[in-house]
């Protein structure tokens, strides 16, 4: 394979993108450093200039995925009034949309718990992403982000869209021929979880 010519700083990004595509095609379990090298069109030694091993490369793929998910959720919420039903619905839809669009990366993001605990940057990005939702809830109920009531309500909403996402990416809904109005389902869940107890 003809080697690609990378400008300074592009090689790391090229390797992450090659690994992302392989994760989407085959899943993270089968990714190897040599496979990522070949897909990026570089020597098998090249990745080790940036990543100590396969886990570090996968963590970089996961981190970039988390950043894309975070941005999509933030942008979705900001199209509506802060703390509104519509904003929370949009955040939930952005979560599900990312999961179904980047199935391999989404699964990777939630399958590396063993190594994520050793990488504060990944944990912090997860917290920042959850805070996108919590910021809307905190405004709605005039409470701090870390108030137990806000965290509990946020967890309920997260649990719903996370479970729905996995049902969709694992094709469980389509396999059982269950009709789904995605927007209506997420909007209904948002209204129910946001209702005052």
């Amino acid at each position: 394979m003809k080697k690609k010519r990378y400008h300074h700083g592009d090689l790391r990004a090229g390797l992450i993108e090659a690994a992302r595509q392989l994760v989407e095609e085959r899943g993270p379990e089968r990714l190897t450093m040599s496979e990522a090298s070949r897909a990026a069109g570089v020597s098998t030694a090249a990745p080790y200039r940036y990543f100590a091993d396969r886990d570090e490369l996968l963590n970089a793929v996961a981190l970039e995925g988390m950043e894309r998910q975070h941005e999509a959720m933030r942008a979705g919420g900001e199209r509506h009034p802060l703390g509104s039903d519509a904003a929370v619905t949009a955040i939930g839809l952005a979560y599900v949309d990312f999961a179904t669009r980047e199935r391999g990366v989404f699964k990777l993001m939630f399958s590396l718990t063993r190594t994520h605990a050793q990488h504060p940057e990944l944990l912090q990005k997860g917290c920042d992403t959850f805070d996108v939702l919590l910021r809307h809830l905190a405004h709605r109920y005039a409470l701090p982000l870390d108030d137990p009531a806000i965290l509990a309500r946020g967890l309920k909403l997260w649990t719903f869209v996370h479970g729905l996402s996995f049902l969709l990416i694992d094709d469980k809904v389509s396999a059982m021929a269950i009709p789904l109005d995605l927007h209506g389902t997420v909007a209904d869940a948002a209204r129910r979880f946001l209702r005052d107890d």
Side-chain angles (χ1 to χ4, degrees):
M1 180 182 292
K2 185 179 178 180
K3 299 292 187 287
K4 295 181 181 179
R5 293 186 180 275
Y6 286 92
H7 296 291
H8 180 70
D10 287 349
L11 178 54
R12 184 178 186 277
L15 287 163
I16 293 172
E17 175 57 21
R20 184 197 68 77
Q21 290 179 20
L22 288 168
V23 165
E24 285 299 322
E25 292 168 9
R26 308 180 187 182
E29 302 83 6
R30 297 177 59 187
L31 178 73
T32 65
M33 294 290 269
S34 59
E35 223 182 6
S37 302
R38 284 193 297 273
V42 299
S43 73
T44 55
Y48 294 98
R49 292 168 54 188
Y50 302 95
F51 308 103
D53 53 27
R54 172 181 171 276
D55 280 350
E56 278 198 9
L57 178 56
L58 285 172
N59 283 337
V61 173
L63 181 60
E64 288 201 356
M66 293 167 80
E67 289 172 348
R68 288 191 298 277
Q69 182 190 45
H70 175 274
E71 177 57 25
M73 291 168 60
R74 184 199 61 75
E78 288 187 356
R79 287 195 293 268
H80 306 279
L82 186 63
S84 64
D85 286 12
V88 173
T89 298
I91 290 169
L93 287 169
Y95 189 101
V96 176
D97 179 67
F98 176 84
T100 55
R101 190 176 65 252
E102 298 196 39
R103 296 181 178 209
V105 173
F106 183 77
K107 287 183 175 181
L108 172 65
M109 286 161 46
F110 290 97
S111 68
L112 293 180
T113 52
R114 177 179 59 82
T115 56
H116 280 190
Q118 301 165 19
H119 294 83
E121 191 176 15
L122 289 169
L123 292 175
Q124 184 59 56
K125 181 53 69 175
C127 291
D128 291 346
T129 302
F130 190 38
D131 282 352
V132 170
L133 171 63
L134 297 183
R135 187 171 67 88
H136 284 265
L137 299 180
H139 178 82
R140 183 184 182 108
Y141 298 103
L143 292 169
L145 259 66
D146 60 353
D147 186 278
I150 296 300
L151 294 172
R153 204 177 292 260
L155 180 59
K156 290 177 183 178
L157 287 156
W158 180 22
T159 300
F160 175 80
V161 294
H162 190 71
L164 178 59
S165 294
F166 269 101
L167 287 172
L168 291 171
I169 65 178
D170 289 338
D171 296 320
K172 302 303 183 188
V173 175
S174 59
M176 296 179 67
I178 300 173
L180 175 66
D181 170 6
L182 183 58
H183 185 280
T185 298
V186 174
D188 182 63
R191 283 192 298 271
R192 291 173 186 271
F193 287 128
L194 291 171
R195 188 177 300 154
D196 290 331
D197 297 328

